[in-house]
């Protein structure tokens, strides 16, 4: 099969299009012919080498965490899927590789695709949709009437999280750039702040939850808008000791993560706020719930650009600009190897 592989970790490294052995499904696996694959900042960070201590992949590596496609075969222990089913997924860590023609996915990571979406639209949902679900539903248990701030509302995660938070009954604020204010309001944001003109930490107060995918000052400033007993969830770090233990990293790496997050954890504790780091996990059951919300019209994907498979490196270059509104997706073809 054709696949884009990463040969060496490096900032903005180009992927190599090559022939790669086909995925071999096990008894719990579903073999999927991939029609479209979504790109995520996580892909870029893995490519750059930022996640080597947490996700020690063996190179060369097929990148890609999002897929939409059609089932070609199922393992002997699989009962929920059949050849011909349209499906979507975020394969679990250690088994990624959606920038390829086929992939074997554990059936627990897979869900039937929303009937109202195209393959390209569905491929933009899994990672950001699961991140939003696990932050807002699983961790924070957002309730009607609560106040939620979602940073970077026009991005892939933010565009889904705004809609999910509104569906849960929250009052939603978000930060974005001037040109995206109307977009995030159309997604359901009750208050949209231009981060270049309005310091959110001086405008907002009394919030129950902040979900932040930005680093540095934005994370610390987010503490100021939360009321005592509120919650700050970061999806970009720094990671907590609890996360390190769950990941099973070495004792030394656990201490490194403890030190990295010490500052924000101490500041949060002093204000009576809980700080959590969320590194989303694959979950087909949660994807099925998201699919139902999509088909009911509660959530819609936001796709910025769709690139053909042979332009995957161009798609990454665009993603790396940080200007994408919603998701960047590649649709698979079978181009000749350059």
């Amino acid at each position: 099969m054709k696949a884009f592989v990463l040969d060496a970790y490096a900032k903005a490294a180009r992927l190599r299009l090559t022939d790669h052995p086909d995925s071999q499904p096990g008894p719990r696996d579903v073999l999927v012919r991939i029609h479209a694959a979504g790109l995520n900042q996580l892909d870029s960070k893995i490519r750059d080498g930022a996640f080597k201590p947490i996700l020690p992949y063996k190179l060369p590596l097929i990148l890609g965490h999002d897929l939409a496609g059609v089932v070609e075969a199922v393992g002997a222990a699989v009962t929920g899927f059949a050849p011909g089913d349209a499906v979507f997924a975020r394969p679990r860590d250690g088994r990624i590789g959606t920038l390829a023609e086929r992939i074997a996915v554990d059936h627990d990571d897979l869900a039937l695709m929303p009937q109202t979406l195209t393959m390209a639209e569905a491929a933009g949902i899994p990672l950001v949709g699961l991140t939003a679900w696990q932050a807002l539903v699983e961790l924070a248990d957002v309730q009607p009437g609560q106040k939620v701030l979602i940073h970077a509302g026009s991005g892939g995660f933010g565009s889904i999280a705004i809609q999910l938070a509104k569906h849960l009954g929250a009052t939603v604020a978000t930060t974005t750039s001037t040109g995206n204010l109307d977009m995030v309001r159309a997604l359901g944001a009750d208050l949209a702040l231009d981060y270049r003109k309005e310091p959110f930490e001086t405008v907002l107060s009394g919030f129950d939850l902040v979900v932040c995918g930005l680093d540095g000052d934005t994370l610390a400033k987010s503490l100021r808008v939360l009321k005592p007993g509120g919650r700050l969830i970061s999806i970009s770090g720094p990671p907590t000791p609890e996360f390190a233990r769950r990941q099973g990293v070495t004792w030394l790496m656990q201490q490194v993560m403890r030190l990295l997050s010490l500052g924000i954890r101490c500041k949060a504790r002093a204000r009576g706020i809980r700080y959590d780091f969320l590194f989303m996990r694959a979950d087909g059951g949660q994807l099925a719930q998201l699919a139902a919300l999509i088909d009911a019209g509660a959530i819609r994907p936001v796709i910025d650009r769709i690139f053909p498979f042979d332009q995957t490196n161009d798609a990454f270059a665009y993603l790396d600009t940080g200007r994408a509104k919603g998701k960047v997706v590649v649709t698979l073809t079978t181009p000749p190897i350059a």
Side-chain angles (χ1 to χ4, degrees):
M1 66 178 182
K2 299 292 192 296
F4 273 96
V5 301
L6 175 69
D7 290 310
Y9 294 118
K11 184 73 173 178
R14 289 182 64 82
L15 307 183
R16 175 172 56 89
L17 179 61
T18 187
D19 282 312
H20 194 277
D22 280 339
S23 297
Q24 297 300 315
R28 291 174 46 88
D29 293 341
V30 176
L31 182 65
V32 180
R33 173 84 179 196
I34 300 173
H35 286 219
L39 301 188
N40 296 279
Q41 292 296 334
L42 178 58
D43 296 302
S44 294
K45 290 181 178 181
I46 290 175
R47 175 203 63 195
D48 295 348
F51 277 84
K52 283 192 293 183
I54 300 174
L55 298 171
Y57 286 110
K58 181 181 179 181
L59 300 178
L61 169 69
I62 303 176
L63 276 179
H65 290 77
D66 283 332
L67 72 89
V70 174
V71 174
E72 287 196 340
V74 299
V78 176
T79 58
F81 302 95
D85 286 343
V87 293
F88 70 149
R90 189 287 204 194
R92 63 188 56 187
D93 296 326
R95 297 192 62 181
I96 66 170
T98 63
L99 293 174
E101 292 181 314
R102 292 178 184 84
I103 189 172
V105 183
D106 189 290
H107 69 103
D108 283 343
D109 302 345
L110 204 64
L112 295 176
M113 205 179 85
Q115 297 179 9
T116 54
L117 298 186
T118 65
M119 288 284 179
E121 290 171 332
I125 291 291
L127 187 145
V128 293
L130 287 170
T131 305
W133 186 276
Q134 289 165 22
L136 299 171
V137 177
E138 191 172 72
L139 272 181
D141 188 25
V142 170
Q143 298 296 310
Q146 289 188 321
K147 295 168 65 176
V148 176
L149 168 61
I150 296 165
H151 283 295
S154 62
F157 166 76
S159 61
I160 297 298
I162 289 171
Q163 296 176 78
L164 180 57
K166 286 301 295 181
H167 171 74
L168 295 171
T171 297
V172 181
T174 192
T175 56
T176 190
S177 60
T178 306
N180 295 328
L181 291 172
D182 288 341
M183 170 193 166
V184 296
R185 291 180 183 125
L187 292 172
D190 299 286
L191 181 60
L193 300 178
D194 185 337
Y195 70 87
R196 293 189 180 97
K197 299 178 181 178
E198 300 176 280
F200 71 91
E201 71 276 13
T202 65
V203 176
L204 306 177
S205 62
F207 272 65
D208 299 280
L209 173 68
V210 177
V211 185
C212 184
L214 305 173
D215 299 320
D217 288 345
T218 301
L219 190 64
K221 290 176 180 177
S222 294
L223 293 170
R224 305 181 199 175
V225 312
L226 286 160
K227 66 184 184 183
R231 196 162 193 165
L232 173 59
I233 298 176
S234 172
I235 59 173
S236 61
T240 60
E242 292 78 13
F243 166 77
R245 286 193 291 270
R246 289 196 303 270
Q247 287 295 110
V249 300
T250 65
W251 179 87
L252 178 60
M253 186 54 59
Q254 290 183 36
Q255 303 315 304
V256 169
M257 292 186 187
R258 181 184 299 276
L259 290 174
L260 287 173
S261 62
L262 181 61
I264 190 66
R265 288 188 290 113
C266 288
K267 290 176 183 177
R269 191 180 305 116
R271 289 177 172 267
I273 292 163
R274 178 169 178 174
Y275 171 75
D276 291 293
F277 170 65
L278 171 64
F279 192 82
M280 60 76 58
R281 69 182 189 282
D283 192 311
Q286 292 178 355
L287 268 183
Q289 294 181 79
L290 285 164
L293 290 180
I294 291 167
D295 283 339
I299 295 174
R300 61 181 176 86
V302 178
I303 306 298
D304 185 306
R305 291 191 187 179
I306 299 173
F307 290 79
F309 188 53
D310 60 345
Q311 294 179 22
T312 293
N313 282 306
D314 295 331
F316 269 106
Y318 180 64
L319 177 72
D320 291 343
T321 67
R323 295 194 296 267
K325 300 176 183 180
K327 290 297 293 288
V328 177
V329 173
V330 297
T331 54
L332 271 75
T333 57
T334 53
I337 299 173

